[in-house]
Amino acid sequence: MRSVGGSGTVAQTQDKIDELAINTIRTLSIDAIQKANSGHPGTVMDAAPVAYTLWQQFLRYDPKAPHWINRDRFVLSAGHASMLLYSLIHLAGIEAADIGYQSHDGAAVTLDDIESFREEGSRCPGHPEYGWTTGVESTTGPLGQGVATSVGMAIAGKWLAATYNKPDFELFDYNVYALCGEGCLMEGVGSEAASLAGHLKLSNLCWIFDNNNVTIDGHANITFTEDVAKRFDAYGWNVVRVSDANDLGELAGALNVFLATDDKPTIIIIHSHIGYGSPGKHDTPAAHGEPLGPDEVRRTKEFFGFDPDKFFVVPDGVREHFTSHMGSRGADLRAKWEALFADYARSHPDQAKQIELIRDRELPEGWDADIPSFDADPTGIATRQASGKVLNAIAAKVPWVLGGAADVAGSTKVILDYPDAGDFQAYGELGDYAGHNMRYGIREHGMCAVVNGMVLSGLRAYDSCYLIFTDYARGSIRLSSLMDIPVLHIWTHDSISLGQDGPTHQPVEQLASLRAMPGLVVIRPADANETAEAYRLMMPHKSRPVALVLTRQAVPTFDRSTMAPASGLAKGAYVLVDADGGKPDVILIGTGSEVALCVAARELLSKDGIKARVVSMPCREMFEDQSDAYKRSVLPPEITARVTVEEASPLGWDRYAGPKGIVLGMNTFGLSAPLKVVSEHFGFTPEKVAEAAKKTLGR
């Protein structure tokens, strides 16, 4: 028997109110798109019965408690059909709730919002945006991202159930639904995620494929003729077909098949007609990406039985119908769940406290108690190795820290090896759903999208790979920033100093491009203790993703008894070691492994009577957040002789070097040779840094 919150098998009945509600979704959407003179009406018109059936009959969701932790998730991966989701949110009466952007009460989407679709201030932007509109579970728009993110949500559901469910207390059993189109299935990120979901046997995941055979450029068969059913069968999915998107009984039957499947994810392939109801644009690409036009709107409303001279109409009884079905069911399930949780808290208080912390994105007391410190060592260790030690110390204290790498976990040092860490796998000889090590395979883009979904579900998840391969994952990294969610990206092999793998693996432009991404905090620590401080800083974040950028090679661990403490990292940049008397002739600014070059260059300069200050600047974003007074104390404007040193693109460093300073960076790709040879070839040596300092003093 299903537990509290279980879906159960749902019988489908249809009457006039169902038809009226579906057509209200359609007409609200075409009115909004026509008024905005921008948008995508066709998918809304053909998929309205699908979404209606799911929400009204199946979705376990309380509109008055939209962040209930065991709610079902609905992700509109076909984000261009955003008015479908906004109409549903409005008609279902979802209430606004604060998740960072909103603090007001009342409706998440008002009729005024719908009337101002795609206008400034509306809760109905062009594509769904998490945090801006309550009821939007994930930002979507770039196709494939929504379905890939839904895999992470399903993983989180399985992990939560395996970790916290107890006999007689099945707290977590939510399902994840994602509505997608041809574009989502063509995108590589969707394929990566589908393959992983099949391997993991995520039976709580259902993709609903609105197969209307149209993309922007025309009918999909000009580019997309594969057999989707065979493809997903090969992935290990359960495949269900629906022959008519308007047949509510067939739709309900397909969803019941999903609910009865307990050993694999399900894809429901629904054959639909884009622009359904539009006499002139039914089944045509013209219905996809532009308003229907005033005349066609009139004809379409007449087809649906609506007055063509009235706009944004919600007929009597439609909102009440949603309330009496979805709303009533969701409120009842949520109330029963809360009663169950109260009993659970009495029987399992420690686990209940953890669930509350997950819900609130908080950390347990003492989470950082075992973060190691590292003794001074001129040889030192790679910051990737230091990261692995710190990560394990934290994860052992925070059970909901989990993650992995794109097939290089041993190299990026992100394997969790504390007792009972385990691997997240389908139950069997490889592991179980309570494991903490994620095995993503060689799927960089899919990995980052999956981690977004896990973090959206409350887990403190991380991903990892070599810095160069952020190029393969850019879309998902960008969305973690756009959504303001605390994803931890761990990137290693951070410079040309990785050596003999050569230019294909040596990142040059990646740091500059990541720093250009709004909201992303890019931290490149100089030594092991800065690495520890980076974790201490970023773990409490409830928003803003962090890119932690780490060395492959060993770097010195600085003697903090003679240099500033590594806690200076929290300000983004700090004076690591000052000139004698605190009045430098020149300032040397470095990040990561190049800070050690600056320290060595300082010693060379001192032999020539030149006083140098060394500034470690692990995070430009955090430095820019400091007061002007602090920034001037680190980089006094009157000291114009400056050298910045980073084995990467010089883009942006002129801001800190100033008009008389020198930027040492990479203007070409790298070189396949041993580390020392590469460094000397490109001039990243203490001698070259000292030479640049003397040159800038001469300016």
Side-chain angles (χ1 to χ4, degrees), residues 81-342:
S82 57
M83 270 309 309
L84 173 65
L85 181 53
Y86 301 145
S87 296
L88 287 165
I89 291 171
H90 174 69
L91 295 174
I94 293 177
E95 295 186 359
D98 186 1
I99 49 173
Y101 293 98
Q102 303 184 109
S103 58
H104 62 85
D105 296 321
V109 171
T110 66
L111 203 56
D112 286 342
D113 288 321
I114 290 176
E115 291 189 42
S116 57
F117 173 60
R118 292 194 168 209
E119 299 295 337
E120 181 180 1
S122 175
R123 296 293 167 184
C124 299
H127 289 80
E129 294 183 24
Y130 171 80
W132 185 249
T133 311
T134 304
V136 172
E137 298 283 5
S138 177
T139 298
T140 56
L143 293 176
Q145 287 291 334
V147 287
T149 300
S150 75
V151 173
M153 294 175 176
I155 287 171
K158 289 290 189 183
W159 186 87
L160 288 165
T163 303
Y164 294 110
N165 286 0
K166 307 292 180 185
D168 299 322
F169 292 105
E170 195 168 357
L171 288 180
F172 293 102
D173 61 351
Y174 68 76
N175 292 315
V176 181
Y177 301 89
L179 180 64
C180 62
E182 282 84 357
C184 293
L185 300 188
M186 285 192 237
E187 290 285 0
V189 65
S191 300
E192 291 178 28
S195 173
L196 181 63
H199 164 73
L200 293 173
K201 303 183 186 299
L202 299 177
S203 59
N204 58 342
L205 178 65
C206 180
W207 288 6
I208 301 171
F209 172 29
D210 175 41
N211 184 200
N212 61 32
N213 194 37
V214 165
T215 63
I216 291 176
D217 276 352
H219 290 287
N221 60 13
I222 63 174
T223 57
F224 192 62
T225 52
E226 68 187 46
D227 189 324
V228 171
K230 288 183 178 178
R231 172 180 156 198
F232 275 79
D233 181 64
Y235 283 149
W237 286 55
N238 180 39
V239 180
V240 183
R241 290 185 182 274
V242 171
S243 61
D244 181 2
N246 289 302
D247 187 330
L248 305 193
E250 194 177 1
L251 292 169
L255 289 164
N256 279 321
V257 170
F258 159 63
L259 295 177
T261 302
D262 61 5
D263 61 347
K264 61 183 67 176
T266 294
I267 184 170
I268 301 174
I269 302 173
I270 299 176
H271 297 278
S272 63
H273 299 276
I274 196 166
Y276 176 82
S278 168
K281 296 191 176 182
H282 175 97
D283 262 349
T284 70
H288 178 81
E290 61 187 33
L292 296 179
D295 291 342
E296 194 64 18
V297 168
R298 289 186 63 85
R299 297 169 66 198
T300 303
K301 285 185 177 181
E302 288 171 348
F303 177 85
F304 291 134
F306 277 60
D307 186 338
D309 295 315
K310 293 182 178 179
F311 303 91
F312 301 102
V313 172
V314 179
D316 292 342
V318 170
R319 292 190 184 94
E320 293 79 3
H321 184 53
F322 270 94
T323 298
S324 65
H325 288 69
M326 176 190 176
S328 177
R329 179 179 68 253
D332 181 61
L333 291 171
R334 195 252 305 172
K336 290 179 179 177
W337 187 92
E338 289 181 346
L340 184 70
F341 183 72

Side-chain angles (χ1 to χ4, degrees), residues 54-102:
L54 173 62
W55 279 50
Q56 187 71 321
Q57 298 295 334
F58 290 83
L59 203 68
R60 298 174 296 167
Y61 189 103
D62 182 359
K64 296 187 181 301
H67 300 308
W68 170 36
I69 197 170
N70 195 45
R71 68 190 181 279
D72 283 351
R73 273 73 169 172
F74 172 76
V75 177
L76 182 66
S77 191
H80 55 276
S82 57
M83 270 309 309
L84 173 65
L85 181 53
Y86 301 145
S87 296
L88 287 165
I89 291 171
H90 174 69
L91 295 174
I94 293 177
E95 295 186 359
D98 186 1
I99 49 173
Y101 293 98
Q102 303 184 109

Side-chain angles (χ1 to χ4, degrees), residues 373 525 527-537 560 563-576 616 618 622 626 630:
S373 60
D527 74 346
N529 286 308
E530 277 197 10
T531 304
E533 289 301 317
Y535 277 95
R536 205 182 301 276
L537 176 77
R560 299 292 172 167
M563 298 181 181
S567 57
L569 174 137
K571 292 185 178 294
Y574 65 103
V575 179
L576 175 67
S616 176
M622 289 190 295
Q626 305 309 311
Y630 177 77

